[in-house]
Amino acid sequence: MAEERKNVIDPFGTSVISDYSHLFEEFGIQSISTVINKITRPGRYLRRGIDFAHRDFDKWLKKPEAAMSGIKPSGEFHLGSKMTAEELIYFQKEFGAKVYYCIADIEAFADNGISLEDGREFAVGNVADLMALGLDMDNAYIYRQSEELRVLRLAYLFGKRVTLNTLKGLYGPRELGLYNSALIQSGDILSPELDGLKNVLVPIGADQDPHIRLTRDLSQKFKEEYGFLEPACIIHKFFRALNGDSKMSKRDPSTYLLLSDSESVARKKVMSAMTGGRATWGEQQKLGGEADKCVIYELCKFHFTDDDKRLKEIHERCVGGKIPCGSCKKDVFDNEILPAMRSHQEKRAQSLEKARKIVDGKTT
Ligand code: SF4
C-alpha cells in the first residue's frame, strides 16, 4: 500500500509540503485570492499564485510601512534566497515600504556551526546579491544580528513570557541555541516597530510559518510595553530542487542553481533537470508534455521569465507537443536563464565593495 504523503514543516530542517490546501486550516492562514484584486500591479509571485496565502496582508496594504526578511549567511544566494529578496524589492518599489534585512549570523552559528567571522564573509556576497537584484539602499536597513543590540535585548525579554512547551510545540525538541535564535528572529521581525514603523510585512516560505506564529504571539504579550502590532506575512510555495524534490536541499549542490554558478556548471545542471516530458518523442508529440510537473517550466515561471506572454508560449509549445525536452531546455537556458545570470553576476561584482562597507557597519 502506498504510504500517505504528509506535510512536514521544520523551519530549521527539511520541510516537505505535498498539499498546500491543508495549510489553510493547519496554520489558520488566508488565501491570497482574498486580497489579490486590491493590488494594481501584482508582482510575478503574486499574479502567478506562487504567493498563495497570507496573514493580515490586507491590513498591511492600507498602510504599507516596512517589509522585513533576512538570510542565514551560510553560503551563496540560491534561488530560494532570490525569491525572498525579490519580494522585498517589489514591496519597496511598488508600495514604498522600507526594507529591513537581517544577516542572521547567530542562527548560522546555532544551526550550522558557522563562526560569526565566516558568516560575515558570506554576508558580503549575500548583500551584493541583494543590491544586484535592485534593492534601493536609500530606503533599506541592513544589519548583522550579532551586532544589533536592540534585537538581542528584545529576544532576552521575550524569554520571560514564552515557555519551553510553547517552543517545543512549534519547533520540536531542539537545543537551546535554536530556541534562542527563534526568539532573536522574533526580535528581528518586530524591530521596525521600534523605529515607529508599526505595519510590518514578512515574505516567507511556507516552512517559516512557526516563526511568524511565535512572533505574533509575542507581539501581543509585549503590546503594553512596546505598542507592537502583529506583523503581517505573505507566504510563498517552495521552488523545487532541479531533480524534482519538493524542496531544495543544500546537501546536494547539483540539485540547485546558485546565482554565482559559471555558465558551464549552470548549463549542466539545467540540462540534467527533471522535466515533464514523455517516455518518447512520438508520445510527447501525441500527448504533449506535462509543463506543470516540469522543473524547467517552473524555473521560467518562478524565476527567469517575467514576461507573461513568453511564459505562455513556453507552456503552449510544451503541452501541444511541439518541442522535444532537449531543445526546450537549451532554449530556456540560452534565452531566459543565461542572460539573467550574466547580468546579475556583473551587477553583483560592481556591488561587492559597497556591500562590504554595509556588512562592516560603515554605511547605511
Ligand atoms: Fe519541460 Fe520543456 Fe519538456 Fe515541456 S518541453 S516538459 S516545459 S522541458
Side-chain angles (χ1 to χ4, degrees):
M1 203 168 100
E3 198 185 323
E4 194 193 345
R5 296 195 71 199
K6 286 193 183 149
N7 292 338
V8 179
I9 306 288
D10 181 356
F12 293 120
T14 301
S15 299
V16 177
I17 299 183
S18 44
D19 183 355
Y20 283 93
S21 65
H22 281 181
L23 300 183
F24 293 105
E25 202 175 320
E26 198 178 326
F27 290 176
I29 52 183
Q30 285 188 291
S31 165
I32 205 70
S33 63
T34 60
V35 192
I36 194 80
N37 59 4
K38 296 181 182 150
I39 301 171
T40 315
R41 285 180 296 272
R44 188 167 74 241
Y45 300 120
L46 277 165
R47 67 179 190 267
R48 294 182 181 167
I50 296 164
D51 285 327
F52 72 102
H54 73 100
R55 294 172 194 274
D56 290 342
F57 183 40
D58 45 345
K59 286 189 196 158
W60 185 83
L61 284 169
K62 289 180 188 152
K63 199 175 178 196
E65 291 183 307
M68 200 285 149
S69 187
I71 190 164
K72 196 166 61 169
S74 57
E76 302 281 343
F77 247 46
H78 52 64
L79 297 181
S81 342
K82 172 177 168 286
M83 270 177 90
T84 310
E86 286 184 329
E87 295 221 80
L88 291 176
I89 292 163
Y90 167 73
F91 293 121
Q92 185 188 58
K93 286 200 161 82
E94 186 64 23
F95 300 100
K98 179 166 181 175
V99 166
Y100 285 71
Y101 197 74
C102 150
I103 307 293
D105 54 357
I106 292 186
E107 187 181 340
F109 175 72
D111 199 9
N112 307 85
I114 292 174
S115 71
L116 297 184
E117 201 42 51
D118 287 349
R120 187 217 298 252
E121 275 315 299
F122 284 128
V124 171
N126 297 158
V127 171
D129 280 311
L130 198 56
M131 292 166 73
L133 288 168
L135 188 74
D136 173 5
M137 301 307 292
D138 291 335
N139 194 22
Y141 178 63
I142 296 178
Y143 63 90
R144 276 185 290 153
Q145 269 179 342
S146 59
E147 298 288 325
E148 195 71 356
L149 188 59
R150 63 185 189 157
V151 164
L152 300 176
R153 191 181 287 138
L154 273 183
Y156 187 80
L157 297 175
F158 290 163
K160 171 80 179 154
R161 291 182 200 158
V162 65
T163 66
L164 206 52
N165 278 345
T166 301
L167 294 170
K168 266 189 198 157
L170 282 165
Y171 300 106
R174 300 282 181 170
E175 57 197 60
L176 199 54
L178 283 178
Y179 290 151
N180 269 338
S181 67
L183 294 177
I184 295 172
Q185 278 207 34
S186 292
D188 290 323
I189 293 169
L190 293 171
S191 67
E193 299 202 35
L194 299 177
D195 292 337
L197 304 179
K198 297 285 176 184
N199 286 290
V200 182
L201 177 69
V202 191
I204 56 167
D207 57 335
Q208 300 300 305
D209 196 68
H211 293 321
I212 296 292
R213 275 179 272 157
L214 175 66
T215 307
R216 283 169 66 93
D217 183 42
L218 285 166
S219 74
Q220 294 313 287
K221 287 181 170 154
F222 284 82
K223 191 177 175 132
E224 208 178 308
E225 291 97 323
Y226 289 95
F228 288 140
L229 294 186
E230 288 177 292
C233 71
I234 186 159
I235 308 173
H236 59 245
K237 293 180 180 172
F238 293 144
F239 173 73
R240 286 180 298 157
L242 296 175
N243 62 7
D245 280 357
S246 314
K247 192 182 177 194
M248 287 188 298
S249 162
K250 285 193 173 181
R251 280 190 296 274
D252 182 358
S254 70
T255 65
Y256 57 89
L257 272 184
L258 294 173
L259 291 179
S260 56
D261 277 342
S262 67
E263 178 180 341
S264 60
V265 167
R267 186 183 293 277
K268 198 168 162 205
K269 287 180 181 176
V270 169
M271 293 309 285
S272 342
M274 196 203 80
T275 72
R278 305 288 178 177
T280 64
W281 170 226
E283 210 177 297
Q284 185 141 331
Q285 283 175 300
K286 202 164 131 204
L287 301 172
E290 297 185 279
D292 295 319
K293 293 185 182 167
C294 175
V295 171
I296 299 296
Y297 179 70
E298 205 167 288
L299 277 168
C300 297
K301 181 178 167 182
F302 277 56
H303 294 290
F304 293 105
T305 308
D306 203 40
D307 179 350
D308 290 341
K309 198 164 150 249
R310 168 75 171 143
L311 186 71
K312 193 164 170 244
E313 277 168 21
I314 293 169
H315 193 273
E316 281 177 355
R317 74 186 186 188
C318 171
V319 297
K322 302 275 189 279
I323 187 167
C325 288
S327 309
C328 176
K329 281 175 165 177
K330 186 170 180 317
D331 173 51
V332 164
F333 184 75
D334 288 341
N335 297 306
E336 309 297 315
I337 298 174
L338 186 58
M341 286 183 71
R342 276 197 182 134
S343 157
H344 179 82
Q345 287 173 7
E346 270 169 36
K347 290 184 199 158
R348 182 185 190 273
Q350 288 159 12
S351 305
L352 276 170
E353 199 180 323
K354 187 166 180 194
R356 181 168 296 282
K357 285 187 182 153
I358 291 168
V359 171
D360 289 345
K362 296 192 176 136
T363 181
T364 302

